[in-house]
mmCIF file of all heavy atoms in Angstrom:
data_model
loop_
_atom_site.group_PDB
_atom_site.id
_atom_site.type_symbol
_atom_site.label_atom_id
_atom_site.label_comp_id
_atom_site.label_asym_id
_atom_site.label_seq_id
_atom_site.Cartn_x
_atom_site.Cartn_y
_atom_site.Cartn_z
ATOM 1 N N ARG A 1 -0.433 -17.938 14.869
ATOM 2 C CA ARG A 1 -0.145 -16.540 15.157
ATOM 3 C C ARG A 1 0.533 -15.857 13.977
ATOM 4 O O ARG A 1 0.240 -14.693 13.664
ATOM 5 C CB ARG A 1 0.724 -16.446 16.416
ATOM 6 C CG ARG A 1 -0.039 -16.618 17.729
ATOM 7 C CD ARG A 1 0.877 -16.912 18.896
ATOM 8 N NE ARG A 1 1.387 -18.277 18.835
ATOM 9 C CZ ARG A 1 2.267 -18.774 19.690
ATOM 10 N NH1 ARG A 1 2.752 -18.003 20.649
ATOM 11 N NH2 ARG A 1 2.675 -20.034 19.577
ATOM 12 N N LEU A 2 1.425 -16.565 13.298
ATOM 13 C CA LEU A 2 2.076 -15.985 12.132
ATOM 14 C C LEU A 2 1.094 -15.828 10.971
ATOM 15 O O LEU A 2 1.206 -14.874 10.203
ATOM 16 C CB LEU A 2 3.271 -16.850 11.720
ATOM 17 C CG LEU A 2 4.490 -16.770 12.659
ATOM 18 C CD1 LEU A 2 5.563 -17.768 12.237
ATOM 19 C CD2 LEU A 2 5.068 -15.359 12.670
ATOM 20 N N SER A 3 0.144 -16.734 10.842
ATOM 21 C CA SER A 3 -0.893 -16.582 9.832
ATOM 22 C C SER A 3 -1.724 -15.330 10.098
ATOM 23 O O SER A 3 -2.017 -14.553 9.187
ATOM 24 C CB SER A 3 -1.806 -17.811 9.814
ATOM 25 O OG SER A 3 -2.919 -17.611 8.962
ATOM 26 N N ALA A 4 -2.104 -15.121 11.360
ATOM 27 C CA ALA A 4 -2.865 -13.927 11.726
ATOM 28 C C ALA A 4 -2.063 -12.662 11.443
ATOM 29 O O ALA A 4 -2.586 -11.694 10.879
ATOM 30 C CB ALA A 4 -3.257 -13.991 13.207
ATOM 31 N N LEU A 5 -0.781 -12.673 11.821
ATOM 32 C CA LEU A 5 0.091 -11.527 11.577
ATOM 33 C C LEU A 5 0.220 -11.256 10.086
ATOM 34 O O LEU A 5 0.100 -10.096 9.638
ATOM 35 C CB LEU A 5 1.468 -11.786 12.190
ATOM 36 C CG LEU A 5 2.518 -10.698 11.948
ATOM 37 C CD1 LEU A 5 2.278 -9.520 12.860
ATOM 38 C CD2 LEU A 5 3.934 -11.245 12.157
ATOM 39 N N TRP A 6 0.493 -12.280 9.310
ATOM 40 C CA TRP A 6 0.645 -12.188 7.863
ATOM 41 C C TRP A 6 -0.594 -11.542 7.245
ATOM 42 O O TRP A 6 -0.494 -10.603 6.446
ATOM 43 C CB TRP A 6 0.882 -13.591 7.308
ATOM 44 C CG TRP A 6 1.184 -13.687 5.848
ATOM 45 C CD1 TRP A 6 0.976 -12.739 4.887
ATOM 46 C CD2 TRP A 6 1.742 -14.819 5.175
ATOM 47 N NE1 TRP A 6 1.373 -13.212 3.663
ATOM 48 C CE2 TRP A 6 1.844 -14.481 3.808
ATOM 49 C CE3 TRP A 6 2.158 -16.088 5.600
ATOM 50 C CZ2 TRP A 6 2.348 -15.385 2.862
ATOM 51 C CZ3 TRP A 6 2.662 -16.981 4.660
ATOM 52 C CH2 TRP A 6 2.756 -16.631 3.308
ATOM 53 N N ASN A 7 -1.760 -12.023 7.616
ATOM 54 C CA ASN A 7 -2.995 -11.510 7.041
ATOM 55 C C ASN A 7 -3.301 -10.079 7.484
ATOM 56 O O ASN A 7 -3.769 -9.258 6.686
ATOM 57 C CB ASN A 7 -4.153 -12.434 7.407
ATOM 58 C CG ASN A 7 -4.202 -13.689 6.545
ATOM 59 O OD1 ASN A 7 -4.417 -13.624 5.346
ATOM 60 N ND2 ASN A 7 -3.991 -14.841 7.169
ATOM 61 N N VAL A 8 -3.046 -9.761 8.755
ATOM 62 C CA VAL A 8 -3.313 -8.408 9.252
ATOM 63 C C VAL A 8 -2.425 -7.389 8.542
ATOM 64 O O VAL A 8 -2.901 -6.383 8.002
ATOM 65 C CB VAL A 8 -3.107 -8.327 10.776
ATOM 66 C CG1 VAL A 8 -3.099 -6.859 11.232
ATOM 67 C CG2 VAL A 8 -4.198 -9.084 11.507
ATOM 68 N N ILE A 9 -1.115 -7.646 8.547
ATOM 69 C CA ILE A 9 -0.174 -6.708 7.925
ATOM 70 C C ILE A 9 -0.392 -6.640 6.419
ATOM 71 O O ILE A 9 -0.331 -5.572 5.816
ATOM 72 C CB ILE A 9 1.280 -7.099 8.238
ATOM 73 C CG1 ILE A 9 1.520 -7.148 9.741
ATOM 74 C CG2 ILE A 9 2.246 -6.115 7.585
ATOM 75 C CD1 ILE A 9 1.324 -5.843 10.457
ATOM 76 N N GLY A 10 -0.673 -7.787 5.800
ATOM 77 C CA GLY A 10 -0.901 -7.820 4.364
ATOM 78 C C GLY A 10 -2.146 -7.077 3.934
ATOM 79 O O GLY A 10 -2.261 -6.658 2.774
ATOM 80 N N SER A 11 -3.088 -6.879 4.859
ATOM 81 C CA SER A 11 -4.316 -6.154 4.539
ATOM 82 C C SER A 11 -4.099 -4.646 4.458
ATOM 83 O O SER A 11 -4.866 -3.944 3.795
ATOM 84 C CB SER A 11 -5.398 -6.442 5.596
ATOM 85 O OG SER A 11 -5.742 -7.814 5.626
ATOM 86 N N VAL A 12 -3.063 -4.153 5.123
ATOM 87 C CA VAL A 12 -2.841 -2.704 5.203
ATOM 88 C C VAL A 12 -2.675 -2.068 3.817
ATOM 89 O O VAL A 12 -3.375 -1.096 3.490
ATOM 90 C CB VAL A 12 -1.639 -2.384 6.115
ATOM 91 C CG1 VAL A 12 -1.299 -0.893 6.050
ATOM 92 C CG2 VAL A 12 -1.929 -2.803 7.548
ATOM 93 N N PRO A 13 -1.764 -2.577 2.945
ATOM 94 C CA PRO A 13 -1.639 -1.962 1.615
ATOM 95 C C PRO A 13 -2.913 -2.076 0.784
ATOM 96 O O PRO A 13 -3.219 -1.176 -0.009
ATOM 97 C CB PRO A 13 -0.482 -2.738 0.967
ATOM 98 C CG PRO A 13 0.266 -3.345 2.098
ATOM 99 C CD PRO A 13 -0.779 -3.648 3.139
ATOM 100 N N VAL A 14 -3.648 -3.190 0.946
ATOM 101 C CA VAL A 14 -4.878 -3.386 0.186
ATOM 102 C C VAL A 14 -5.922 -2.334 0.573
ATOM 103 O O VAL A 14 -6.544 -1.694 -0.277
ATOM 104 C CB VAL A 14 -5.439 -4.802 0.410
ATOM 105 C CG1 VAL A 14 -6.767 -4.975 -0.332
ATOM 106 C CG2 VAL A 14 -4.435 -5.854 -0.044
ATOM 107 N N VAL A 15 -6.109 -2.157 1.878
ATOM 108 C CA VAL A 15 -7.085 -1.187 2.366
ATOM 109 C C VAL A 15 -6.668 0.237 1.994
ATOM 110 O O VAL A 15 -7.465 1.024 1.487
ATOM 111 C CB VAL A 15 -7.256 -1.311 3.897
ATOM 112 C CG1 VAL A 15 -8.202 -0.227 4.410
ATOM 113 C CG2 VAL A 15 -7.788 -2.692 4.257
ATOM 114 N N ALA A 16 -5.402 0.547 2.238
ATOM 115 C CA ALA A 16 -4.907 1.888 1.924
ATOM 116 C C ALA A 16 -5.013 2.182 0.431
ATOM 117 O O ALA A 16 -5.393 3.286 0.029
ATOM 118 C CB ALA A 16 -3.464 2.030 2.397
ATOM 119 N N GLY A 17 -4.677 1.190 -0.394
ATOM 120 C CA GLY A 17 -4.751 1.379 -1.842
ATOM 121 C C GLY A 17 -6.164 1.625 -2.328
ATOM 122 O O GLY A 17 -6.402 2.431 -3.227
ATOM 123 N N ALA A 18 -7.116 0.920 -1.729
ATOM 124 C CA ALA A 18 -8.511 1.069 -2.141
ATOM 125 C C ALA A 18 -9.051 2.462 -1.842
ATOM 126 O O ALA A 18 -9.787 3.048 -2.636
ATOM 127 C CB ALA A 18 -9.371 0.013 -1.452
ATOM 128 N N PHE A 19 -8.687 2.997 -0.675
ATOM 129 C CA PHE A 19 -9.219 4.294 -0.275
ATOM 130 C C PHE A 19 -8.385 5.474 -0.781
ATOM 131 O O PHE A 19 -8.892 6.586 -0.913
ATOM 132 C CB PHE A 19 -9.338 4.373 1.246
ATOM 133 C CG PHE A 19 -10.465 3.570 1.811
ATOM 134 C CD1 PHE A 19 -10.224 2.384 2.470
ATOM 135 C CD2 PHE A 19 -11.764 3.981 1.652
ATOM 136 C CE1 PHE A 19 -11.261 1.626 2.987
ATOM 137 C CE2 PHE A 19 -12.823 3.238 2.158
ATOM 138 C CZ PHE A 19 -12.566 2.052 2.829
ATOM 139 N N ALA A 20 -7.113 5.223 -1.045
ATOM 140 C CA ALA A 20 -6.229 6.319 -1.430
ATOM 141 C C ALA A 20 -5.872 6.307 -2.914
ATOM 142 O O ALA A 20 -4.991 7.043 -3.335
ATOM 143 C CB ALA A 20 -4.936 6.268 -0.604
ATOM 144 N N SER A 21 -6.556 5.469 -3.703
ATOM 145 C CA SER A 21 -6.199 5.335 -5.111
ATOM 146 C C SER A 21 -6.288 6.658 -5.854
ATOM 147 O O SER A 21 -5.414 7.003 -6.656
ATOM 148 C CB SER A 21 -7.085 4.280 -5.788
ATOM 149 O OG SER A 21 -8.455 4.635 -5.679
ATOM 150 N N GLY A 22 -7.336 7.398 -5.605
ATOM 151 C CA GLY A 22 -7.491 8.681 -6.275
ATOM 152 C C GLY A 22 -6.405 9.668 -5.888
ATOM 153 O O GLY A 22 -5.835 10.350 -6.744
ATOM 154 N N TYR A 23 -6.105 9.746 -4.598
ATOM 155 C CA TYR A 23 -5.073 10.665 -4.131
ATOM 156 C C TYR A 23 -3.710 10.290 -4.700
ATOM 157 O O TYR A 23 -2.955 11.156 -5.152
ATOM 158 C CB TYR A 23 -5.020 10.651 -2.601
ATOM 159 C CG TYR A 23 -3.986 11.588 -2.025
ATOM 160 C CD1 TYR A 23 -4.305 12.926 -1.771
ATOM 161 C CD2 TYR A 23 -2.694 11.144 -1.728
ATOM 162 C CE1 TYR A 23 -3.356 13.791 -1.247
ATOM 163 C CE2 TYR A 23 -1.745 12.000 -1.209
ATOM 164 C CZ TYR A 23 -2.080 13.318 -0.972
ATOM 165 O OH TYR A 23 -1.130 14.176 -0.467
ATOM 166 N N VAL A 24 -3.409 8.993 -4.661
ATOM 167 C CA VAL A 24 -2.127 8.521 -5.191
ATOM 168 C C VAL A 24 -2.001 8.858 -6.669
ATOM 169 O O VAL A 24 -0.961 9.327 -7.130
ATOM 170 C CB VAL A 24 -1.981 6.998 -4.962
ATOM 171 C CG1 VAL A 24 -0.764 6.456 -5.711
ATOM 172 C CG2 VAL A 24 -1.864 6.688 -3.484
ATOM 173 N N SER A 25 -3.073 8.630 -7.423
ATOM 174 C CA SER A 25 -3.045 8.908 -8.848
ATOM 175 C C SER A 25 -2.813 10.386 -9.140
ATOM 176 O O SER A 25 -2.128 10.742 -10.098
ATOM 177 C CB SER A 25 -4.364 8.443 -9.487
ATOM 178 O OG SER A 25 -4.439 8.712 -10.763
ATOM 179 N N ASP A 26 -3.357 11.262 -8.283
ATOM 180 C CA ASP A 26 -3.241 12.697 -8.510
ATOM 181 C C ASP A 26 -1.935 13.292 -8.003
ATOM 182 O O ASP A 26 -1.466 14.302 -8.536
ATOM 183 C CB ASP A 26 -4.417 13.428 -7.851
ATOM 184 C CG ASP A 26 -5.760 13.098 -8.514
ATOM 185 O OD1 ASP A 26 -5.759 12.706 -9.700
ATOM 186 O OD2 ASP A 26 -6.800 13.238 -7.832
ATOM 187 N N HIS A 27 -1.322 12.705 -6.969
ATOM 188 C CA HIS A 27 -0.192 13.340 -6.314
ATOM 189 C C HIS A 27 1.124 12.589 -6.439
ATOM 190 O O HIS A 27 2.163 13.110 -6.034
ATOM 191 C CB HIS A 27 -0.503 13.535 -4.814
ATOM 192 C CG HIS A 27 -1.614 14.492 -4.559
ATOM 193 N ND1 HIS A 27 -2.945 14.141 -4.615
ATOM 194 C CD2 HIS A 27 -1.591 15.825 -4.240
ATOM 195 C CE1 HIS A 27 -3.700 15.197 -4.347
ATOM 196 N NE2 HIS A 27 -2.907 16.221 -4.118
ATOM 197 N N LEU A 28 1.098 11.381 -6.973
ATOM 198 C CA LEU A 28 2.325 10.602 -7.082
ATOM 199 C C LEU A 28 2.554 10.209 -8.530
ATOM 200 O O LEU A 28 1.787 9.439 -9.106
ATOM 201 C CB LEU A 28 2.248 9.350 -6.199
ATOM 202 C CG LEU A 28 3.551 8.555 -5.998
ATOM 203 C CD1 LEU A 28 4.563 9.386 -5.223
ATOM 204 C CD2 LEU A 28 3.274 7.249 -5.261
ATOM 205 N N ALA A 29 3.600 10.757 -9.125
ATOM 206 C CA ALA A 29 3.921 10.422 -10.506
ATOM 207 C C ALA A 29 4.399 8.988 -10.606
ATOM 208 O O ALA A 29 4.886 8.406 -9.635
ATOM 209 C CB ALA A 29 4.991 11.375 -11.046
ATOM 210 N N ALA A 30 4.280 8.424 -11.798
ATOM 211 C CA ALA A 30 4.656 7.029 -11.989
ATOM 212 C C ALA A 30 6.119 6.784 -11.638
ATOM 213 O O ALA A 30 6.464 5.802 -10.977
ATOM 214 C CB ALA A 30 4.370 6.608 -13.429
ATOM 215 N N ALA A 31 7.009 7.688 -12.086
ATOM 216 C CA ALA A 31 8.429 7.538 -11.781
ATOM 217 C C ALA A 31 8.676 7.559 -10.277
ATOM 218 O O ALA A 31 9.491 6.800 -9.750
ATOM 219 C CB ALA A 31 9.236 8.636 -12.475
ATOM 220 N N GLU A 32 7.959 8.431 -9.569
ATOM 221 C CA GLU A 32 8.109 8.515 -8.123
ATOM 222 C C GLU A 32 7.626 7.234 -7.446
ATOM 223 O O GLU A 32 8.214 6.784 -6.455
ATOM 224 C CB GLU A 32 7.342 9.722 -7.592
ATOM 225 C CG GLU A 32 7.906 11.064 -8.053
ATOM 226 C CD GLU A 32 7.011 12.223 -7.671
ATOM 227 O OE1 GLU A 32 5.816 11.982 -7.366
ATOM 228 O OE2 GLU A 32 7.491 13.380 -7.682
ATOM 229 N N ALA A 33 6.560 6.634 -7.963
ATOM 230 C CA ALA A 33 6.041 5.391 -7.401
ATOM 231 C C ALA A 33 7.052 4.261 -7.540
ATOM 232 O O ALA A 33 7.290 3.502 -6.591
ATOM 233 C CB ALA A 33 4.725 5.023 -8.088
ATOM 234 N N PHE A 34 7.659 4.137 -8.715
ATOM 235 C CA PHE A 34 8.675 3.107 -8.917
ATOM 236 C C PHE A 34 9.890 3.342 -8.018
ATOM 237 O O PHE A 34 10.472 2.394 -7.486
ATOM 238 C CB PHE A 34 9.093 3.055 -10.380
ATOM 239 C CG PHE A 34 8.120 2.335 -11.269
ATOM 240 C CD1 PHE A 34 7.371 3.029 -12.210
ATOM 241 C CD2 PHE A 34 7.940 0.969 -11.159
ATOM 242 C CE1 PHE A 34 6.467 2.376 -13.018
ATOM 243 C CE2 PHE A 34 7.029 0.309 -11.974
ATOM 244 C CZ PHE A 34 6.292 1.014 -12.901
ATOM 245 N N PHE A 35 10.263 4.606 -7.864
ATOM 246 C CA PHE A 35 11.389 4.930 -7.004
ATOM 247 C C PHE A 35 11.077 4.570 -5.545
ATOM 248 O O PHE A 35 11.938 4.075 -4.819
ATOM 249 C CB PHE A 35 11.732 6.415 -7.124
ATOM 250 C CG PHE A 35 12.986 6.811 -6.400
ATOM 251 C CD1 PHE A 35 14.231 6.402 -6.844
ATOM 252 C CD2 PHE A 35 12.911 7.587 -5.250
ATOM 253 C CE1 PHE A 35 15.380 6.754 -6.162
ATOM 254 C CE2 PHE A 35 14.064 7.948 -4.570
ATOM 255 C CZ PHE A 35 15.301 7.530 -5.030
ATOM 256 N N LEU A 36 9.834 4.780 -5.114
ATOM 257 C CA LEU A 36 9.421 4.438 -3.755
ATOM 258 C C LEU A 36 9.479 2.930 -3.533
ATOM 259 O O LEU A 36 9.914 2.469 -2.468
ATOM 260 C CB LEU A 36 8.008 4.961 -3.498
ATOM 261 C CG LEU A 36 7.454 4.819 -2.074
ATOM 262 C CD1 LEU A 36 8.368 5.504 -1.064
ATOM 263 C CD2 LEU A 36 6.032 5.397 -1.992
ATOM 264 N N VAL A 37 9.051 2.152 -4.516
ATOM 265 C CA VAL A 37 9.145 0.700 -4.422
ATOM 266 C C VAL A 37 10.603 0.263 -4.300
ATOM 267 O O VAL A 37 10.936 -0.651 -3.544
ATOM 268 C CB VAL A 37 8.472 0.025 -5.637
ATOM 269 C CG1 VAL A 37 8.773 -1.476 -5.673
ATOM 270 C CG2 VAL A 37 6.979 0.253 -5.605
#
């Protein structure tokens, strides 16, 4: 169950990053990205 949870939650940033890469690049400055991390 923890393996399933790990993989499901871990997929969210990957999927979001793939589809939102263009938007992130246009609307989020590098300094802001580091600050968010």
Side-chain angles (χ1 to χ4, degrees):
R1 282 164 286 176
L2 288 174
S3 172
L5 177 77
W6 185 343
N7 281 295
V8 168
I9 302 298
S11 298
V12 173
V14 177
V15 176
F19 286 106
S21 59
Y23 181 87
V24 171
S25 177
D26 293 336
H27 294 83
L28 191 66
E32 294 172 342
F34 282 111
F35 187 70
L36 186 57
V37 170

